[in-house]
PDB file of all heavy atoms in Angstrom:
ATOM      1  N   ALA A 146     106.420 133.023  91.096  1.00  0.00           N
ATOM      2  CA  ALA A 146     105.468 133.366  92.163  1.00  0.00           C
ATOM      3  C   ALA A 146     104.327 132.364  92.214  1.00  0.00           C
ATOM      4  O   ALA A 146     103.893 131.935  93.294  1.00  0.00           O
ATOM      5  CB  ALA A 146     104.934 134.780  91.946  1.00  0.00           C
ATOM      6  N   LEU A 147     103.834 131.960  91.043  1.00  0.00           N
ATOM      7  CA  LEU A 147     102.744 130.986  91.003  1.00  0.00           C
ATOM      8  C   LEU A 147     103.192 129.635  91.531  1.00  0.00           C
ATOM      9  O   LEU A 147     102.456 128.956  92.251  1.00  0.00           O
ATOM     10  CB  LEU A 147     102.223 130.842  89.565  1.00  0.00           C
ATOM     11  CG  LEU A 147     101.383 132.018  89.047  1.00  0.00           C
ATOM     12  CD1 LEU A 147     101.133 131.864  87.563  1.00  0.00           C
ATOM     13  CD2 LEU A 147     100.064 132.120  89.808  1.00  0.00           C
ATOM     14  N   VAL A 148     104.414 129.237  91.184  1.00  0.00           N
ATOM     15  CA  VAL A 148     104.927 127.970  91.687  1.00  0.00           C
ATOM     16  C   VAL A 148     105.032 127.996  93.205  1.00  0.00           C
ATOM     17  O   VAL A 148     104.691 127.033  93.893  1.00  0.00           O
ATOM     18  CB  VAL A 148     106.309 127.660  91.066  1.00  0.00           C
ATOM     19  CG1 VAL A 148     106.978 126.502  91.780  1.00  0.00           C
ATOM     20  CG2 VAL A 148     106.148 127.323  89.585  1.00  0.00           C
ATOM     21  N   GLN A 149     105.499 129.126  93.755  1.00  0.00           N
ATOM     22  CA  GLN A 149     105.610 129.236  95.204  1.00  0.00           C
ATOM     23  C   GLN A 149     104.246 129.131  95.876  1.00  0.00           C
ATOM     24  O   GLN A 149     104.095 128.507  96.926  1.00  0.00           O
ATOM     25  CB  GLN A 149     106.297 130.554  95.574  1.00  0.00           C
ATOM     26  CG  GLN A 149     107.765 130.581  95.203  1.00  0.00           C
ATOM     27  CD  GLN A 149     108.396 131.944  95.387  1.00  0.00           C
ATOM     28  OE1 GLN A 149     107.710 132.923  95.698  1.00  0.00           O
ATOM     29  NE2 GLN A 149     109.710 132.030  95.201  1.00  0.00           N
ATOM     30  N   GLN A 150     103.225 129.732  95.247  1.00  0.00           N
ATOM     31  CA  GLN A 150     101.865 129.614  95.788  1.00  0.00           C
ATOM     32  C   GLN A 150     101.389 128.167  95.751  1.00  0.00           C
ATOM     33  O   GLN A 150     100.773 127.668  96.689  1.00  0.00           O
ATOM     34  CB  GLN A 150     100.900 130.494  94.992  1.00  0.00           C
ATOM     35  CG  GLN A 150     101.144 131.991  95.134  1.00  0.00           C
ATOM     36  CD  GLN A 150     100.215 132.791  94.248  1.00  0.00           C
ATOM     37  OE1 GLN A 150      99.001 132.549  94.253  1.00  0.00           O
ATOM     38  NE2 GLN A 150     100.762 133.723  93.487  1.00  0.00           N
ATOM     39  N   ALA A 151     101.697 127.490  94.638  1.00  0.00           N
ATOM     40  CA  ALA A 151     101.298 126.078  94.519  1.00  0.00           C
ATOM     41  C   ALA A 151     101.961 125.239  95.591  1.00  0.00           C
ATOM     42  O   ALA A 151     101.336 124.384  96.221  1.00  0.00           O
ATOM     43  CB  ALA A 151     101.658 125.543  93.124  1.00  0.00           C
ATOM     44  N   GLU A 152     103.265 125.485  95.812  1.00  0.00           N
ATOM     45  CA  GLU A 152     103.983 124.704  96.819  1.00  0.00           C
ATOM     46  C   GLU A 152     103.399 124.925  98.205  1.00  0.00           C
ATOM     47  O   GLU A 152     103.279 123.996  99.004  1.00  0.00           O
ATOM     48  CB  GLU A 152     105.467 125.078  96.803  1.00  0.00           C
ATOM     49  CG  GLU A 152     106.191 124.592  95.551  1.00  0.00           C
ATOM     50  CD  GLU A 152     107.610 125.114  95.461  1.00  0.00           C
ATOM     51  OE1 GLU A 152     107.916 126.103  96.172  1.00  0.00           O
ATOM     52  OE2 GLU A 152     108.399 124.554  94.690  1.00  0.00           O
ATOM     53  N   ALA A 153     103.039 126.181  98.505  1.00  0.00           N
ATOM     54  CA  ALA A 153     102.467 126.479  99.819  1.00  0.00           C
ATOM     55  C   ALA A 153     101.142 125.755 100.013  1.00  0.00           C
ATOM     56  O   ALA A 153     100.863 125.196 101.086  1.00  0.00           O
ATOM     57  CB  ALA A 153     102.276 127.984  99.976  1.00  0.00           C
ATOM     58  N   LEU A 154     100.312 125.735  98.961  1.00  0.00           N
ATOM     59  CA  LEU A 154      99.021 125.063  99.069  1.00  0.00           C
ATOM     60  C   LEU A 154      99.180 123.556  99.176  1.00  0.00           C
ATOM     61  O   LEU A 154      98.452 122.882  99.907  1.00  0.00           O
ATOM     62  CB  LEU A 154      98.148 125.416  97.856  1.00  0.00           C
ATOM     63  CG  LEU A 154      97.660 126.866  97.825  1.00  0.00           C
ATOM     64  CD1 LEU A 154      97.010 127.177  96.490  1.00  0.00           C
ATOM     65  CD2 LEU A 154      96.695 127.143  98.962  1.00  0.00           C
ATOM     66  N   VAL A 155     100.177 123.015  98.451  1.00  0.00           N
ATOM     67  CA  VAL A 155     100.438 121.581  98.548  1.00  0.00           C
ATOM     68  C   VAL A 155     100.846 121.201  99.962  1.00  0.00           C
ATOM     69  O   VAL A 155     100.444 120.177 100.504  1.00  0.00           O
ATOM     70  CB  VAL A 155     101.526 121.164  97.532  1.00  0.00           C
ATOM     71  CG1 VAL A 155     102.068 119.779  97.843  1.00  0.00           C
ATOM     72  CG2 VAL A 155     100.959 121.191  96.117  1.00  0.00           C
ATOM     73  N   ARG A 156     101.677 122.054 100.597  1.00  0.00           N
ATOM     74  CA  ARG A 156     102.077 121.777 101.977  1.00  0.00           C
ATOM     75  C   ARG A 156     100.874 121.782 102.908  1.00  0.00           C
ATOM     76  O   ARG A 156     100.797 120.988 103.844  1.00  0.00           O
ATOM     77  CB  ARG A 156     103.117 122.805 102.429  1.00  0.00           C
ATOM     78  CG  ARG A 156     104.502 122.589 101.832  1.00  0.00           C
ATOM     79  CD  ARG A 156     105.549 123.401 102.571  1.00  0.00           C
ATOM     80  NE  ARG A 156     105.355 124.821 102.409  1.00  0.00           N
ATOM     81  CZ  ARG A 156     105.886 125.541 101.416  1.00  0.00           C
ATOM     82  NH1 ARG A 156     106.632 124.953 100.507  1.00  0.00           N
ATOM     83  NH2 ARG A 156     105.675 126.831 101.346  1.00  0.00           N
ATOM     84  N   GLN A 157      99.918 122.679 102.655  1.00  0.00           N
ATOM     85  CA  GLN A 157      98.708 122.708 103.489  1.00  0.00           C
ATOM     86  C   GLN A 157      97.914 121.417 103.334  1.00  0.00           C
ATOM     87  O   GLN A 157      97.399 120.852 104.304  1.00  0.00           O
ATOM     88  CB  GLN A 157      97.833 123.903 103.104  1.00  0.00           C
ATOM     89  CG  GLN A 157      98.466 125.261 103.399  1.00  0.00           C
ATOM     90  CD  GLN A 157      97.594 126.402 102.912  1.00  0.00           C
ATOM     91  OE1 GLN A 157      96.374 126.278 102.889  1.00  0.00           O
ATOM     92  NE2 GLN A 157      98.223 127.494 102.509  1.00  0.00           N
ATOM     93  N   ILE A 158      97.814 120.944 102.103  1.00  0.00           N
ATOM     94  CA  ILE A 158      97.084 119.694 101.874  1.00  0.00           C
ATOM     95  C   ILE A 158      97.784 118.532 102.560  1.00  0.00           C
ATOM     96  O   ILE A 158      97.173 117.699 103.224  1.00  0.00           O
ATOM     97  CB  ILE A 158      96.966 119.408 100.354  1.00  0.00           C
ATOM     98  CG1 ILE A 158      96.073 120.468  99.703  1.00  0.00           C
ATOM     99  CG2 ILE A 158      96.377 118.023 100.106  1.00  0.00           C
ATOM    100  CD1 ILE A 158      96.036 120.384  98.195  1.00  0.00           C
ATOM    101  N   GLY A 159      99.130 118.490 102.424  1.00  0.00           N
ATOM    102  CA  GLY A 159      99.887 117.424 103.065  1.00  0.00           C
ATOM    103  C   GLY A 159      99.699 117.421 104.563  1.00  0.00           C
ATOM    104  O   GLY A 159      99.616 116.371 105.197  1.00  0.00           O
ATOM    105  N   ALA A 160      99.627 118.612 105.163  1.00  0.00           N
ATOM    106  CA  ALA A 160      99.469 118.699 106.612  1.00  0.00           C
ATOM    107  C   ALA A 160      98.160 118.089 107.079  1.00  0.00           C
ATOM    108  O   ALA A 160      98.055 117.554 108.187  1.00  0.00           O
ATOM    109  CB  ALA A 160      99.548 120.160 107.053  1.00  0.00           C
ATOM    110  N   LEU A 161      97.133 118.152 106.229  1.00  0.00           N
ATOM    111  CA  LEU A 161      95.832 117.607 106.614  1.00  0.00           C
ATOM    112  C   LEU A 161      95.835 116.093 106.723  1.00  0.00           C
ATOM    113  O   LEU A 161      94.912 115.498 107.271  1.00  0.00           O
ATOM    114  CB  LEU A 161      94.764 118.041 105.603  1.00  0.00           C
ATOM    115  CG  LEU A 161      94.418 119.536 105.654  1.00  0.00           C
ATOM    116  CD1 LEU A 161      93.509 119.886 104.486  1.00  0.00           C
ATOM    117  CD2 LEU A 161      93.758 119.890 106.971  1.00  0.00           C
ATOM    118  N   ALA A 162      96.868 115.445 106.158  1.00  0.00           N
ATOM    119  CA  ALA A 162      96.943 113.988 106.262  1.00  0.00           C
ATOM    120  C   ALA A 162      97.287 113.534 107.664  1.00  0.00           C
ATOM    121  O   ALA A 162      97.214 112.356 107.970  1.00  0.00           O
ATOM    122  CB  ALA A 162      98.000 113.445 105.279  1.00  0.00           C
ATOM    123  N   GLY A 163      97.658 114.462 108.532  1.00  0.00           N
ATOM    124  CA  GLY A 163      97.944 114.093 109.916  1.00  0.00           C
ATOM    125  C   GLY A 163      99.421 114.125 110.194  1.00  0.00           C
ATOM    126  O   GLY A 163     100.246 114.019 109.285  1.00  0.00           O
ATOM    127  N   PRO A 164      99.816 114.272 111.458  1.00  0.00           N
ATOM    128  CA  PRO A 164     101.228 114.356 111.821  1.00  0.00           C
ATOM    129  C   PRO A 164     101.976 113.074 111.482  1.00  0.00           C
ATOM    130  O   PRO A 164     101.475 111.980 111.695  1.00  0.00           O
ATOM    131  CB  PRO A 164     101.174 114.583 113.343  1.00  0.00           C
ATOM    132  CG  PRO A 164      99.837 114.069 113.770  1.00  0.00           C
ATOM    133  CD  PRO A 164      98.917 114.334 112.626  1.00  0.00           C
ATOM    134  N   GLY A 165     103.181 113.268 110.911  1.00  0.00           N
ATOM    135  CA  GLY A 165     104.041 112.121 110.619  1.00  0.00           C
ATOM    136  C   GLY A 165     103.638 111.336 109.389  1.00  0.00           C
ATOM    137  O   GLY A 165     104.194 110.301 109.107  1.00  0.00           O
ATOM    138  N   ARG A 166     102.639 111.848 108.637  1.00  0.00           N
ATOM    139  CA  ARG A 166     102.184 111.106 107.456  1.00  0.00           C
ATOM    140  C   ARG A 166     102.462 111.906 106.201  1.00  0.00           C
ATOM    141  O   ARG A 166     101.995 113.028 106.059  1.00  0.00           O
ATOM    142  CB  ARG A 166     100.694 110.816 107.554  1.00  0.00           C
ATOM    143  CG  ARG A 166     100.361 109.887 108.698  1.00  0.00           C
ATOM    144  CD  ARG A 166      99.006 109.282 108.499  1.00  0.00           C
ATOM    145  NE  ARG A 166      98.951 108.663 107.184  1.00  0.00           N
ATOM    146  CZ  ARG A 166      97.872 108.031 106.742  1.00  0.00           C
ATOM    147  NH1 ARG A 166      96.814 107.932 107.480  1.00  0.00           N
ATOM    148  NH2 ARG A 166      97.871 107.495 105.541  1.00  0.00           N
ATOM    149  N   ALA A 167     103.224 111.335 105.297  1.00  0.00           N
ATOM    150  CA  ALA A 167     103.511 111.996 104.028  1.00  0.00           C
ATOM    151  C   ALA A 167     102.396 111.666 103.044  1.00  0.00           C
ATOM    152  O   ALA A 167     101.748 110.620 103.140  1.00  0.00           O
ATOM    153  CB  ALA A 167     104.847 111.499 103.477  1.00  0.00           C
ATOM    154  N   PRO A 168     102.129 112.579 102.078  1.00  0.00           N
ATOM    155  CA  PRO A 168     101.135 112.265 101.055  1.00  0.00           C
ATOM    156  C   PRO A 168     101.506 110.994 100.310  1.00  0.00           C
ATOM    157  O   PRO A 168     102.675 110.732 100.074  1.00  0.00           O
ATOM    158  CB  PRO A 168     101.201 113.493 100.129  1.00  0.00           C
ATOM    159  CG  PRO A 168     101.750 114.581 100.981  1.00  0.00           C
ATOM    160  CD  PRO A 168     102.705 113.906 101.923  1.00  0.00           C
ATOM    161  N   THR A 169     100.520 110.211  99.949  1.00  0.00           N
ATOM    162  CA  THR A 169     100.763 108.969  99.227  1.00  0.00           C
ATOM    163  C   THR A 169     101.340 109.272  97.853  1.00  0.00           C
ATOM    164  O   THR A 169     100.744 110.018  97.088  1.00  0.00           O
ATOM    165  CB  THR A 169      99.443 108.182  99.050  1.00  0.00           C
ATOM    166  OG1 THR A 169      98.897 107.925 100.324  1.00  0.00           O
ATOM    167  CG2 THR A 169      99.689 106.881  98.303  1.00  0.00           C
ATOM    168  N   PRO A 170     102.524 108.756  97.497  1.00  0.00           N
ATOM    169  CA  PRO A 170     103.097 109.028  96.182  1.00  0.00           C
ATOM    170  C   PRO A 170     102.209 108.491  95.063  1.00  0.00           C
ATOM    171  O   PRO A 170     101.658 107.389  95.161  1.00  0.00           O
ATOM    172  CB  PRO A 170     104.434 108.274  96.215  1.00  0.00           C
ATOM    173  CG  PRO A 170     104.741 108.093  97.665  1.00  0.00           C
ATOM    174  CD  PRO A 170     103.410 107.942  98.332  1.00  0.00           C
ATOM    175  N   LEU A 171     102.085 109.260  94.000  1.00  0.00           N
ATOM    176  CA  LEU A 171     101.277 108.841  92.865  1.00  0.00           C
ATOM    177  C   LEU A 171     101.812 107.546  92.266  1.00  0.00           C
ATOM    178  O   LEU A 171     101.059 106.719  91.750  1.00  0.00           O
ATOM    179  CB  LEU A 171     101.286 109.955  91.809  1.00  0.00           C
ATOM    180  CG  LEU A 171     100.386 109.753  90.590  1.00  0.00           C
ATOM    181  CD1 LEU A 171      98.930 109.801  91.009  1.00  0.00           C
ATOM    182  CD2 LEU A 171     100.658 110.841  89.559  1.00  0.00           C
ATOM    183  N   GLU A 172     103.162 107.345  92.344  1.00  0.00           N
ATOM    184  CA  GLU A 172     103.771 106.161  91.740  1.00  0.00           C
ATOM    185  C   GLU A 172     103.339 104.869  92.405  1.00  0.00           C
ATOM    186  O   GLU A 172     103.531 103.788  91.858  1.00  0.00           O
ATOM    187  CB  GLU A 172     105.304 106.262  91.816  1.00  0.00           C
ATOM    188  CG  GLU A 172     105.892 107.391  90.994  1.00  0.00           C
ATOM    189  CD  GLU A 172     106.019 108.674  91.815  1.00  0.00           C
ATOM    190  OE1 GLU A 172     105.302 108.838  92.813  1.00  0.00           O
ATOM    191  OE2 GLU A 172     106.843 109.502  91.438  1.00  0.00           O
ATOM    192  N   TRP A 173     102.790 104.959  93.615  1.00  0.00           N
ATOM    193  CA  TRP A 173     102.425 103.736  94.329  1.00  0.00           C
ATOM    194  C   TRP A 173     101.390 102.918  93.574  1.00  0.00           C
ATOM    195  O   TRP A 173     101.420 101.700  93.582  1.00  0.00           O
ATOM    196  CB  TRP A 173     101.864 104.087  95.712  1.00  0.00           C
ATOM    197  CG  TRP A 173     102.903 104.365  96.727  1.00  0.00           C
ATOM    198  CD1 TRP A 173     104.184 104.749  96.501  1.00  0.00           C
ATOM    199  CD2 TRP A 173     102.761 104.291  98.150  1.00  0.00           C
ATOM    200  NE1 TRP A 173     104.850 104.930  97.686  1.00  0.00           N
ATOM    201  CE2 TRP A 173     104.005 104.659  98.702  1.00  0.00           C
ATOM    202  CE3 TRP A 173     101.715 103.963  98.994  1.00  0.00           C
ATOM    203  CZ2 TRP A 173     104.215 104.701 100.072  1.00  0.00           C
ATOM    204  CZ3 TRP A 173     101.924 104.008 100.357  1.00  0.00           C
ATOM    205  CH2 TRP A 173     103.166 104.364 100.883  1.00  0.00           C
ATOM    206  N   GLY A 174     100.438 103.585  92.942  1.00  0.00           N
ATOM    207  CA  GLY A 174      99.314 102.843  92.395  1.00  0.00           C
ATOM    208  C   GLY A 174      98.526 102.229  93.536  1.00  0.00           C
ATOM    209  O   GLY A 174      97.999 102.915  94.397  1.00  0.00           O
ATOM    210  N   ALA A 175      98.485 100.886  93.552  1.00  0.00           N
ATOM    211  CA  ALA A 175      97.749 100.193  94.617  1.00  0.00           C
ATOM    212  C   ALA A 175      98.573 100.076  95.894  1.00  0.00           C
ATOM    213  O   ALA A 175      98.067  99.626  96.916  1.00  0.00           O
ATOM    214  CB  ALA A 175      97.335  98.800  94.142  1.00  0.00           C
ATOM    215  N   GLY A 176      99.830 100.460  95.878  1.00  0.00           N
ATOM    216  CA  GLY A 176     100.664 100.345  97.064  1.00  0.00           C
ATOM    217  C   GLY A 176     102.094 100.719  96.753  1.00  0.00           C
ATOM    218  O   GLY A 176     102.449 100.982  95.605  1.00  0.00           O
ATOM    219  N   PRO A 177     102.963 100.771  97.765  1.00  0.00           N
ATOM    220  CA  PRO A 177     104.352 101.164  97.554  1.00  0.00           C
ATOM    221  C   PRO A 177     105.174 100.090  96.856  1.00  0.00           C
ATOM    222  O   PRO A 177     104.796  98.923  96.828  1.00  0.00           O
ATOM    223  CB  PRO A 177     104.859 101.390  98.980  1.00  0.00           C
ATOM    224  CG  PRO A 177     104.012 100.477  99.817  1.00  0.00           C
ATOM    225  CD  PRO A 177     102.655 100.481  99.171  1.00  0.00           C
ATOM    226  N   VAL A 178     106.306 100.500  96.275  1.00  0.00           N
ATOM    227  CA  VAL A 178     107.272  99.554  95.720  1.00  0.00           C
ATOM    228  C   VAL A 178     107.822  98.718  96.874  1.00  0.00           C
ATOM    229  O   VAL A 178     108.212  99.251  97.908  1.00  0.00           O
ATOM    230  CB  VAL A 178     108.408 100.304  95.008  1.00  0.00           C
ATOM    231  CG1 VAL A 178     109.457  99.327  94.505  1.00  0.00           C
ATOM    232  CG2 VAL A 178     107.860 101.149  93.867  1.00  0.00           C
ATOM    233  N   THR A 179     107.853  97.409  96.709  1.00  0.00           N
ATOM    234  CA  THR A 179     108.239  96.518  97.801  1.00  0.00           C
ATOM    235  C   THR A 179     109.418  95.630  97.415  1.00  0.00           C
ATOM    236  O   THR A 179     109.803  95.550  96.239  1.00  0.00           O
ATOM    237  CB  THR A 179     107.066  95.615  98.213  1.00  0.00           C
ATOM    238  OG1 THR A 179     106.770  94.719  97.124  1.00  0.00           O
ATOM    239  CG2 THR A 179     105.836  96.427  98.571  1.00  0.00           C
TER     240      THR A 179
END
Side-chain angles (χ1 to χ4, degrees):
L147 286 170
V148 169
Q149 290 172 354
Q150 293 176 49
E152 290 173 342
L154 290 171
V155 166
R156 286 194 294 271
Q157 294 176 31
I158 293 173
L161 290 172
R166 295 198 53 179
T169 302
L171 185 67
E172 295 91 337
W173 279 22
V178 177
T179 66

